[in-house]
Amino acid sequence: MILPAVAVVVGLVLLVWSAERFVDGAAATSARFGISPLLIGMLVIGFGTSAPELVVSALAAGQGNPGLALGNAFGSNIANIGLILGLVALISPLAVHSTVVRREMPILGGATLLSALLMWGGVVGRLEGTLLLVLLAAFIGVSIWRARRDGADPLGTDTEESLEARPMSMAAGLAWTGVGLVLLVISSRILVWGAVAIAQGFGVSDLIIGLTVVAVGTSLPELASSISALRRREHDLVLGNVVGSNLFNTLGVVGLAAVIHPIQVGTEVLLRDWSLMAAMTLLLAVFALGWRGRAGRINRLEGAVLLVMYLTYTAWLVRLVVSGGGG
């Protein structure tokens, strides 16, 4: 098991590094082509940080391990809210000003509910996967139209400041986009091979591996970009990254994996994993959108609640593995 463990570590390190290069290059290239900072923040950065989940899940599904793909998507969503937002809010409370983020939160909630309906029959097939991809394409189209119509937004301002902090020429942007994409594929292949080998060696389901090790690893780009944005006090960019990434995971990652290979869904996914993801998404909406006249923000106490939920869930999964449940 030494070689698979080394493969997972090397794959994760290379995955995080290549994802950061890919997102930086794609964002800089988009800016050079005259795309607005708001669209770059919403689509290029928000969705680009989910590139590891997309590539890993597509490769896993193509190799006949769709459980790893589903676990990666849902586990990443849980980690994004509980680990990343929880940790970031503990460091510094997050104020929410962006109307774009506020508009995307209910859409994320709807996508989360839809995923449960599609899994209710015990399988997410190619037809359901196609539906998710069509909805993602529709969301992207509407987002582009609204961004051009609405103009300024705090998310766009945060993104513009982020781009100015890391200037990059067109040639460098294109080069890093290409290098990052190639290395994403290579590192994902290494990671999937190691994760599947470990799962088989210990008799653990690929779903559990996807929900834990792989999910945390593919969420590291979101963590890195969130901490970087936090240093510049770009709170809307932090939340925009997480909301955009979770939307992409729910619609794009699960959808593509299901189109490649139908995903069998056990009842434990709905009762355990989806239920927690839905509860955390609801809490995030309550915190971020505000209620009873309270301004939208995630304070340290709320961040601690999200982080404790994530740590408790992870401990539960580890206990299942140790006790021989396998998941």
Side-chain angles (χ1 to χ4, degrees):
M1 299 303 294
I2 295 178
L3 186 57
V6 171
V8 168
V9 173
V10 172
L12 284 175
V13 171
L14 187 57
L15 189 74
V16 172
W17 186 85
S18 59
E20 289 180 0
R21 301 291 83 74
F22 171 73
V23 172
D24 288 347
T29 302
S30 299
R32 293 290 179 179
F33 276 114
I35 298 175
S36 73
L38 179 57
L39 273 178
I40 294 174
M42 289 170 60
L43 303 180
V44 179
I45 297 178
F47 285 177
T49 51
S50 284
E53 286 91 338
L54 182 68
V55 179
V56 167
S57 294
L59 288 173
Q63 294 175 14
N65 300 101
L68 179 61
L70 184 64
N72 183 23
F74 284 4
S76 292
N77 283 3
I78 293 169
N80 285 346
I81 297 175
L83 178 62
I84 296 174
L85 277 185
L87 190 60
V88 168
L90 272 178
I91 298 171
S92 174
L94 297 172
V96 184
H97 304 105
S98 172
T99 56
V100 171
V101 172
R102 290 171 177 271
R103 194 164 54 219
E104 286 183 356
M105 283 300 313
I107 298 174
L108 176 59
T112 302
L113 290 175
L114 176 62
S115 67
L117 292 176
L118 297 183
M119 294 188 297
W120 198 259
V123 62
V124 182
R126 290 189 170 89
L127 181 60
E128 290 87 351
T130 301
L131 173 62
L132 291 173
L133 292 178
V134 168
L135 289 174
L136 177 64
F139 170 75
I140 292 174
V142 171
S143 296
I144 293 173
W145 173 74
R146 277 183 163 169
R148 289 178 173 174
R149 185 196 66 176
D150 296 345
D153 185 271
L155 177 60
T157 303
D158 283 358
T159 304
E160 189 170 13
E161 292 173 356
S162 178
L163 291 171
E164 290 174 354
R166 288 174 292 183
M168 192 179 297
S169 67
M170 173 71 82
L174 289 171
W176 280 122
T177 301
V179 170
L181 187 59
V182 170
L183 291 180
L184 266 175
V185 175
I186 294 173
S187 57
S188 296
R189 283 189 176 276
I190 297 172
L191 175 59
V192 169
W193 176 82
V196 171
I198 290 175
Q200 293 173 344
F202 285 100
V204 180
S205 71
D206 54 359
L207 173 68
I208 293 292
I209 294 294
L211 286 166
T212 52
V213 178
V214 178
V216 173
T218 54
S219 292
L220 290 178
E222 283 92 342
L223 179 60
S225 62
S226 295
I227 292 176
S228 177
L230 184 64
R231 289 200 201 104
R232 297 187 295 270
R233 303 193 64 80
E234 296 162 354
H235 292 181
D236 289 296
L237 189 55
V238 173
L239 192 59
N241 281 346
V242 169
V243 174
S245 176
N246 282 20
L247 256 175
F248 190 81
N249 289 342
T250 305
L251 298 176
V253 174
V254 176
L256 181 59
V259 167
I260 295 173
H261 191 295
I263 304 172
Q264 298 295 324
V265 183
T267 54
E268 75 279 1
V269 175
L270 277 170
L271 296 177
R272 180 190 65 203
D273 311 313
W274 179 88
S275 295
L276 179 69
M277 182 178 72
M280 294 177 81
T281 301
L282 178 60
L283 280 177
L284 174 60
V286 171
F287 297 157
L289 299 179
W291 50 283
R292 293 185 179 179
R294 170 187 179 275
R297 67 194 302 267
I298 305 175
N299 59 35
R300 286 189 173 90
L301 177 59
E302 293 161 347
V305 169
L306 295 174
L307 184 58
V308 167
M309 289 176 71
Y310 172 76
L311 294 175
T312 302
Y313 168 73
T314 303
W316 184 13
L317 292 182
V318 171
R319 182 175 173 273
L320 280 176
V321 173
V322 173
S323 64

